[in-house]
Structure formats: structure tokens, C-alpha cells
Amino acid sequence: MSIEVNAITKTYGTQKALNNISFSVKPAEIVGFLGPNGAGKSTMMKILTTYINPTEGEAKVNGHKIDTNKKEVQSSVGYLPEHNPLYSELYVREYLKFNADVYNVSKQRIEEVIELTGLTPEAHKKIGQLSKGYRQRVGLANALLHNPDVLILDEPTTGLDPNQLVDVRNLITTIGQEKTVFLSTHIMQEVEAMCDRVIIINKGEIVADKYLNELRKGQEQTVIVEFDYRVEEAFLLKLPKVKLVKNTHGFIYEITFSSTDDMRSYVFDFAHDNELKILQLNQKNTSLESLFRELTN
Ligand code: ADP
Ligand code: MG
């Protein structure tokens, strides 16, 4: 496993920023860590990069324990902190060289990361002269310098304009072909654009952990149906592939199926066969966006 988190809790004073969190990330996965502001994303990332210690629990990055093997953890991870702090007075190449010296990274590797992150035309400029998109690339180049196996990126695309956003997303997707990427965001479209998997965190607790292809395949779907009079839930449970029936209000029912077929036609046939009248029949939106809203509201 690239990342293993086991029952981590972090308290700031009396506040629990993380409450007994566990998950793991496999090599070469791109995992989105999605949650509203204040959910605990940055706290988790600072723990995994050894910047702060958890109050309880343990974690490993690339097989190294964050408490006893900090050095090994740091050489396994590339970290782009939130707000990407950079020295605006330094030139891009000079800044990277400065950090490269800390890690004993070769001159050749500096040129490699400049090329990889598309910084070649800007590398002679001062960081302060760059657009936000290019500054994010400098942050990514910096995180990649020591060629770590795992990248931890805290809101890497926040504050970028739509064009920069697409460029930086593409760059992260490219990097993610070879490395494990754990990135945080509060935007669900971001996860849909870049990630294999999403872990949703809310108020310090994990509320969902799903692979996007499973979400997309819609292995589970919910149909909303309104009849013109009351129908027993038990009766609706006779529908094929039905998992759950809920009477939401009046004569409206939410029926959840485990199937990839469009189950509305089965509901229609069922109603017809049983002489029930349908007033409305819709598929409920089970996109990532609605999942996120449901889980974090
Ligand atoms: P996110 O990155 O998801 O927005 P954070 O991890 O930054 O969330 O914060 C989680 C919670 O912990 C927030 O309520 C925040 O105010 C609190 N918090 C974060 N850092 C500190 C700190 N150093 N001292 C006290 N509270 C903090
Ligand atoms: Mg944060």
C-alpha cells in the first residue's frame, strides 16, 4: 500500500479535526479527498507528510511509519501544501535548485521536472512574475524533484482560471500514470475529471469511499414514482432487483434497485400489471455531485 491510515484522530484543543479515520491507497491510484471547508483534509495531509503529529492512531506512507520513520516518509512523498508558499523574489530555476540542494537532487533532475511540468518557457522568470497556473506548476515541480512515489497535493487547482485549471488537471493526470496521487479538493467536478476513486470527508469523518467507475456504472439506482393512491411498501418489494422501498411523502416512493438497466420500464410494467396508476416516474440523480451534497449537508 502507498498510504495506510489506521484510526487517526487529531484534536486541536477541544476540537476534533479528525475522528478515528482509516483508509488506504494502492500504488498508482489517483484518489480525490473531497470535503467542504473545515472537513479536516489539510490536517490529514499534514499528518501524512509528517508536518504535524496525530493525537491518536498510526499511518504509513510507502511502508514507512509516520512517527518513527519521518525521514523515509519525507523522501517517499512529494507535497504541495495548501496556498503553495513560494519565494516570489527567486527565479524559477534558482528556487528549484535551492530545494534540490536540500534533497541532494542532481542538476539533470531539475531540468527533467522543468520539462515535465511544462515550465521550460518560464524557467528564467521570477516566481512573482508568473501567473497562478504557472506558480502551481512550480509547486508541482518542487514536489516532484526528489522523484517520490507518492504525491500529496492540497487543493492543487483552487484559484485557477478555467484554462489553467484544465492544464494543471492534465498535468496531474499525466503524473498520476506513474505515481500515487492523493489530492484534496472541495469541488466534485475536480474529482470526476482526475480521480479513480473518491474519499469523502465531512466534519472529520469519512462518509464515503468509492471508485468512480462503480459510481458511473450506476450499479445502484433509485427511481422516484408517484401513484394515485397508497401502495404497501411490501408490495413494491416484489419488483425485480429491488433493494429498498421508501415512502417519502404522500403517494411518492423512492425505490432503489441494484441493476444497470433503466428500471423505470420495469416499474411501468409492474404498475400496469397490477392496475396501479402512475402520476410521475423519474430516475433520481445519483451522480457524485448529489452524493456529495447528500453526505455533507
Ligand atoms: P480543510 O482542509 O478540510 O478545510 P482543515 O484540516 O484545515 O480542514 O481544518 C479542520 C478543522 O480543524 C477546522 O475546523 C479548522 O478550523 C481546525 N484547525 C485546523 N488547523 C488548526 C490549528 N492549527 N489550530 C486549531 N484548529 C485548527
Ligand atoms: Mg484545507
Side-chain angles (χ1 to χ4, degrees):
M1 285 294 166
S2 287
I3 299 175
E4 283 177 79
V5 174
N6 190 7
I8 292 253
T9 292
K10 177 71 184 179
T11 48
Y12 292 114
T14 55
Q15 191 196 353
K16 259 193 187 152
L18 295 174
N19 187 11
N20 195 25
I21 287 218
S22 300
F23 63 89
S24 55
V25 178
K26 287 185 234 157
E29 272 188 330
I30 304 188
V31 176
F33 197 38
L34 178 66
N37 287 325
K41 304 181 295 294
S42 298
T43 300
M44 188 70 243
M45 293 184 146
K46 285 179 202 159
I47 290 172
L48 288 174
T49 50
T50 76
Y51 278 79
I52 59 174
N53 293 316
T55 311
E56 279 171 60
E58 47 192 40
K60 282 185 193 168
V61 178
N62 229 13
H64 307 297
K65 294 181 75 173
I66 55 161
D67 52 349
T68 53
N69 294 68
K70 285 192 165 52
K71 278 260 147 58
E72 289 83 353
V73 170
Q74 285 161 11
S75 58
S76 302
V77 331
Y79 177 37
L80 179 68
E82 201 173 14
H83 312 307
N84 184 16
L86 297 169
Y87 301 97
S88 53
E89 281 307 304
L90 292 187
Y91 294 91
V92 171
R93 194 173 264 111
E94 184 189 14
Y95 171 72
L96 292 174
K97 183 166 183 322
F98 175 78
N99 287 314
D101 290 343
V102 179
Y103 284 110
N104 251 327
V105 168
S106 70
K107 275 218 175 70
Q108 191 200 329
R109 178 64 186 165
I110 300 175
E111 295 309 314
E112 264 173 38
V113 299
I114 286 176
E115 166 116 36
L116 175 67
T117 53
L119 276 169
T120 310
E122 308 284 305
H124 63 285
K125 291 189 187 166
K126 275 190 180 175
I127 290 173
Q129 296 168 334
L130 302 182
S131 67
K132 180 115 208 291
Y134 273 94
R135 260 179 271 162
Q136 281 307 76
R137 288 170 194 249
V138 175
L140 282 167
N142 188 42
L144 286 164
L145 268 178
H146 56 299
N147 204 7
D149 290 327
V150 181
L151 282 176
I152 295 187
L153 313 176
D154 198 353
E155 306 219 9
T157 59
T158 296
L160 300 184
D161 74 32
N163 292 329
Q164 297 167 340
L165 195 72
V166 171
D167 290 345
V168 172
R169 278 181 187 168
N170 286 342
L171 177 58
I172 292 171
T173 312
T174 308
I175 295 167
Q177 287 169 355
E178 289 176 13
K179 300 190 183 289
T180 307
V181 180
F182 185 58
L183 69 90
S184 71
T185 174
H186 57 271
I187 309 159
M188 37 266 160
Q189 290 84 351
E190 190 89 352
V191 173
E192 281 179 321
M194 286 188 282
C195 302
D196 306 315
R197 177 177 154 208
V198 61
I199 296 176
I200 304 181
I201 178 175
N202 190 39
K203 295 182 185 148
E205 298 189 10
I206 291 178
V207 291
D209 182 346
K210 298 201 183 265
Y211 282 93
L212 292 202
N213 57 5
E214 285 173 9
L215 276 180
R216 286 196 196 102
K217 263 190 276 166
Q219 274 155 340
E220 198 178 284
Q221 64 175 292
T222 299
V223 170
I224 301 168
V225 56
E226 183 178 7
F227 299 109
D228 69 341
Y229 53 85
R230 174 149 179 83
V231 182
E232 289 303 317
E233 276 99 327
F235 188 65
L236 295 173
L237 281 169
K238 291 179 183 161
L239 276 155
K241 298 177 187 172
V242 66
K243 274 177 74 179
L244 194 77
V245 175
K246 199 165 74 185
N247 181 208
T248 50
H249 61 270
F251 305 140
I252 300 177
Y253 299 82
E254 285 193 11
I255 309 172
T256 303
F257 298 94
S258 47
S259 169
T260 50
D261 300 342
D262 183 344
M263 295 306 290
R264 285 176 302 179
S265 58
Y266 291 84
V267 175
F268 186 87
D269 290 345
F270 183 85
H272 182 257
D273 293 347
N274 293 285
E275 293 176 7
L276 302 168
K277 282 200 184 96
I278 288 178
L279 299 182
Q280 61 155 323
L281 180 59
N282 294 301
Q283 259 176 333
K284 192 176 171 182
N285 187 358
T286 50
S287 67
L288 182 57
E289 182 159 354
S290 62
L291 179 76
F292 178 71
R293 262 192 268 112
E294 209 167 284
L295 293 172
T296 60
N297 249 336

